[in-house]
Amino acid sequence: MERLRDVDEAALLARVLPAYDRVRPRHADVLVGPGDDAAVVAAPGGSVVATTDGMVRGQDWRDEWSSGHDVGVKVAVSNVADVAAMGAVPTGLLVSLVADPDLPVAWAVDLAAGIADVAAECGAPVLGGDVSSGPPGVVSVTITALGALPGPPVLRSGARAGDVVAVCGTLGRSGGGLAVLLEDLPRTGPAAGLVADHLAPRTPWRSGPVAAAAGAHALVDVSDGLVTDAGRVARASGVAVDLDGDALRAHHAAGPLTEVLGAGRAIEQVLAGGEEHSLVGCFPAATDLVALAGEPWVAVGRVVPAGPDGVVTVDGVVPDVRGWDHFGAG
Ligand SMILES: Nc1ncnc2c1ncn2[C@@H]1O[C@H](COP(=O)(O)OP(=O)(O)O)[C@@H](O)[C@H]1O
Ligand SMILES: Cc1ncc(C[n+]2csc(CCOP(=O)(O)OP(=O)(O)O)c2C)c(N)n1
Ligand SMILES: [Mg+2]
């Protein structure tokens, strides 16, 4: 029998999503359905963005590394990043907790405090949620985030050959921090910062609407790794992305990542490290990135016509890295 472990995430969704096709086309209010960072639904006077993302103890965090607060920050940030990656502003969060009854109440309260910190920072209050008991050992936290779109959504499918690919936020730091934890490397000096960013990442959520207002053709957040997520944009847009190795090394791999992991592993994390929740945008070539409000955008590549060489290349060469996939590990 075919199991989830036999397919990757994309193949699983390709099998599951057709089940919903008979419902959706009859609903003209669904402006963007499954397949992007978030869905967009028409609402009186505008449109609402909706997305959901969950985390599971043992798979997405370990209790010996993460506090409840860390988990709350991380799951909230992963949702807010998806809202921002549509060009939207977060407006509210719903929180679902499934937990082994053995879970300390204090952990659940600490989780809420972490979620509340992100909610407060981005002005998206917690609107409600659900609590449910789970089997021994299981703790699962899922957030649904809503957002408001000041203008049209920025889709994964809008990139055009000639666009500049730019990143707002860091790359590889969360993945580098995970490597420090998994390999039990000393958590001193620059390694401490990487670990902190892994346990409780941040996202430049204000920069999603900024990019949208600047005319970005496509946006995505880095949850599974730059190459994987840029690849999703490239596939959806029918183009390819050529990343600039020098820019990635200078702006992202150099410094703490290289000090902790060495240059070779640092660039691997920049290309493939997940859970960073920075934003990647494809902008018209004439865009003055320096003039964009808020956090800086750094050019890291170009959108090029789709060719035979794979959807994402670095200096024209397909990189030998793998992003995160929950199922297709084999
Ligand atoms: N079980 C599911 N049923 C319906 N749609 C799903 C399901 N899982 C994921 N999707 C949709 O598939 C797309 C890809 O999901 P995912 O990779 O989790 O997005 P992201 O990395 O932005 O969080 C999203 O549009 C998401 O809403
Ligand atoms: C114990 C542990 N092992 C591995 C990881 C690494 N990890 C888990 S999920 C993930 C990628 C992103 O998660 P996902 O839920 O797929 O986010 P989405 O793409 O849906 O936004 C990574 C890099 C981790 N955080 N903790
Ligand atoms: Mg996303």
Side-chain angles (χ1 to χ4, degrees):
M1 188 202 299
E2 196 184 15
R3 311 273 179 182
L4 294 190
R5 75 172 68 86
D6 302 322
V7 298
D8 61 17
E9 288 181 39
L12 174 63
L13 288 175
R15 300 274 290 277
V16 167
L17 292 180
Y20 305 129
D21 282 348
R22 71 194 160 88
V23 190
R24 204 174 63 249
R26 280 192 255 123
H27 292 261
D29 286 348
V30 180
L31 305 179
V32 178
D36 220 298
D37 292 294
V40 183
V41 184
S47 51
V48 172
V49 165
T51 181
T52 189
D53 231 314
M55 288 178 38
V56 177
R57 178 198 254 170
Q59 306 296 115
D60 299 298
W61 83 84
R62 289 191 193 167
D63 284 351
E64 59 265 38
W65 302 339
S66 298
S67 66
H69 191 282
D70 290 332
V71 174
V73 169
K74 199 199 265 199
V75 67
V77 159
S78 75
N79 277 274
V80 166
D82 279 328
V83 170
M86 300 304 287
V89 181
T91 51
L93 307 176
L94 295 150
V95 182
S96 165
L97 172 65
V98 177
D100 176 351
D102 198 41
L103 185 76
V105 171
W107 194 95
V109 173
D110 203 26
L111 172 81
I115 295 170
D117 279 354
V118 178
E121 202 226 282
C122 63
V126 173
L127 307 170
D130 183 48
V131 282
S132 190
S133 61
V138 168
V139 180
S140 165
V141 185
T142 300
I143 288 184
T144 299
L146 304 176
L149 269 170
V154 186
L155 305 182
R156 293 180 179 182
S157 53
R160 300 176 207 167
D163 284 354
V164 174
V165 179
V167 170
C168 184
T170 53
L171 288 173
R173 290 184 57 89
S174 176
L178 178 61
V180 169
L181 292 167
L182 286 170
E183 294 163 36
D184 211 9
L185 304 175
R187 290 197 223 170
T188 49
L194 301 182
V195 169
D197 282 0
H198 173 73
L199 297 179
R202 59 175 304 281
T203 186
W205 61 274
R206 283 191 180 84
S207 295
V210 167
H217 288 154
L219 268 180
V220 71
D221 77 303
V222 179
S223 58
D224 294 331
L226 175 64
V227 168
T228 297
D229 291 309
R232 289 176 174 147
V233 169
R235 279 195 188 86
S237 302
V239 295
V241 165
D242 187 39
L243 297 169
D244 176 344
D246 284 341
L248 290 172
R249 279 185 287 271
H251 290 283
H252 294 286
L257 261 180
T258 294
E259 285 164 40
V260 175
L261 296 177
R265 292 189 67 201
I267 190 69
E268 275 174 31
Q269 288 297 345
V270 166
L271 293 170
E275 298 176 294
E276 194 77 11
H277 303 302
S278 296
L279 298 175
V280 181
C282 300
F283 294 87
T287 308
D288 183 1
L289 294 175
V290 179
L292 296 189
E295 296 186 43
W297 289 82
V298 172
V300 297
R302 283 266 172 197
V303 178
V304 297
D309 294 334
V311 289
V312 178
T313 50
V314 181
D315 302 325
V317 178
V318 176
D320 184 19
V321 295
R322 250 186 109 128
W324 182 264
D325 192 294
H326 280 287
F327 303 116

